[in-house]
Amino acid sequence: MKEYGEKSDQVLVELTLLGNEQAFSELVTRHEKAVKGTAFKVTQNPWSAEDAAQDAFVSAWMQLDALNDRSRFGPWVCAIAKNCARDLVIHYRNTVPDISLQIPDEGDLPDAAFAKEEEKRELHDAVGTLTEKIRDVVRLHYFEGYSVDEIAARLSLPAGTVKWRLSEGRKQLRKGYGIVEKEYKENEALLARVMRQVEELKLWRLKNDRTGFEEDYRRVLSSVEALDEGKEKLHALADVWIMGYWWLPGKKNDDVLEKIKQAALESHNEDVMEAVVWEKIGGGEKEDISYIRDVAVPFLEEHGFVKALGYAWFWYGVAWLNQKDGEKALAAFRRVTEILDPSYVYHAAALAANRATEKVFRTLENGSKMLHWSVTGEDVRQIGNKIYLWAQPGYKRNVFIQTCAGPFWNAAACDNLIWDPGAKPGDTVVSSDGQMVWTLLETDRTVKTPAGTFAGCAITKVSGEHRGLTEVETAFCPGVGIVWQRAVRFDVENEWYLARWSVTGGEGALPFAPGNVWEYTSDTLPKEMTFHEISHRFEVVSSENGKANLSGVMVVDCAGFVDTWSGKMRELQACYCTSPLGEDEELQDVDVEAMLARLSELAATKREK
């Protein structure tokens, strides 16, 4: 926490709004004494002041974006505490004598709190009615004299959880004495706080490097385990366990996966069940058609897992595609679109698969020399005020040239960051592994494309080394979207230009509205080849609440090869070593002897000969 202790309140508030929980913890630590003191002046007893302070910090966290002057967090939260304390005083005024329990600083219990034996017995009986977890903490603190920190160590709980249980115990005891509590919803606040931690843990998926993940994982897992038993706890445990399964060494085994599956089943965690299915079917790569059809699909249908069911049907279609059965593949992809809502990325991927499958098999029937094609669903999300690539499910076939993987995937090589609307020219972001740097170069470049000339474009650059990418430049035109991109991958440079577009809604550098379409073409593919078609088409399928899903289809249809030494050599490599449907399929029937003879005729240099 030392690094946060040196930051100003203004910076800590900004970091908290960006989802940094440690920053808010520092704000609480920094102002806790002043907030409790403010509340004590109103309540005149430390235990009610403790309750008011807790309510004040929860309220401040929920309303933090309403604080205009970020540097005045302290006075602002003290004002909230004063109001919370007044509410408590009004609430308890003219009721039965206050039997609230005090939290002494040193854990010592004042004799005055239990002056009468009758009150002692009555209080012990009341404590006995509390739930087990709250009862244990209350007894340890008030009857056995343990401090908050000692209880936290003894029960392996966060200190904040111990404080919350003590606060909840006091409030439940008051209710037992006939005092109608104001609905503070401490349990909901704790649950919401823990669920927020779980969601923040999921953001690790955006990072190029996951060093430090285990520390966050242990902390969040401890918070989840402190929750009361129930469906919400199981749901959160499944979320956390699956991340540990993926990213922690030694966690990936059948027993752990079965535990995760059971938690997902009992809490109906759709996202985690989808991940479990992925581990079972391997994203269609294992081509286990019978397992998907006879085991996975019936199980998911029986238990009502809609997302995971759509996911299974998608890879069932890919498995049939691998068997060159286009009709069964199309039927499976159509089933996905019937099952899934458009807001789910596999709906977009299935739409792309439908379009590509129909086109590809028709093209192959027309005698295409060589076909490269890929299908993606693009899940693009606004997190904070930045735009990230969250997921890109799909598949590709016959990668015979280093074509671009797509503008979003390329642009997101630095911790999945695509666009930062708040960036200024010269601003940079360094990836978590230190290998990639995202830079906003300028905001007023004019870019010429087949679709027209676009002025006022912002140019971003990602450079370094990640997944074969070493440099990516992307042009964003406000109100239009990405109009140009240059990417260097495995030392091969490709450029893609906007060829056609239709934007009927949305705004900014990436205007995502359902029905918006962009189609790109390239003139930097191998010069030894001629093409029937070069296109990469994206269409927005859904867009709401800062999340957009797009379907993407790339088709590069080779018409032939130029009659030069390099052209014939590429034809030999492509047609003899790779087939139209992929490397595992039957190779094309080519006359190797004739090709070699022609290569000998065309060879001019010693190396070519």
Side-chain angles (χ1 to χ4, degrees), residues 340-357:
L340 295 179
D341 182 89
S343 63
Y344 187 48
V345 68
Y346 271 94
H347 181 105
L351 289 176
N354 269 327
R355 180 188 298 272
T357 302

Side-chain angles (χ1 to χ4, degrees), residues 371-388:
L371 195 65
H372 168 102
W373 51 294
S374 66
V375 162
T376 57
E378 312 274 338
D379 184 339
V380 181
R381 301 188 183 186
Q382 180 178 332
I383 301 174
N385 66 334
K386 300 177 182 178
I387 298 176
Y388 294 86

Side-chain angles (χ1 to χ4, degrees), residues 549-577:
N549 287 329
L550 299 86
S551 66
V553 177
M554 173 191 278
V555 175
V556 179
D557 181 9
C558 175
F561 301 84
V562 296
D563 191 30
T564 63
W565 186 90
S566 59
K568 286 298 179 183
M569 180 60 77
R570 183 171 286 274
E571 182 179 10
L572 180 62
Q573 292 171 338
C575 296
Y576 180 65
C577 301

Side-chain angles (χ1 to χ4, degrees), residues 17 63-70 76:
L17 289 170
Q63 305 174 53
L64 196 55
D65 59 350
L67 177 60
N68 293 323
D69 187 348
R70 314 295 205 212
W76 179 65

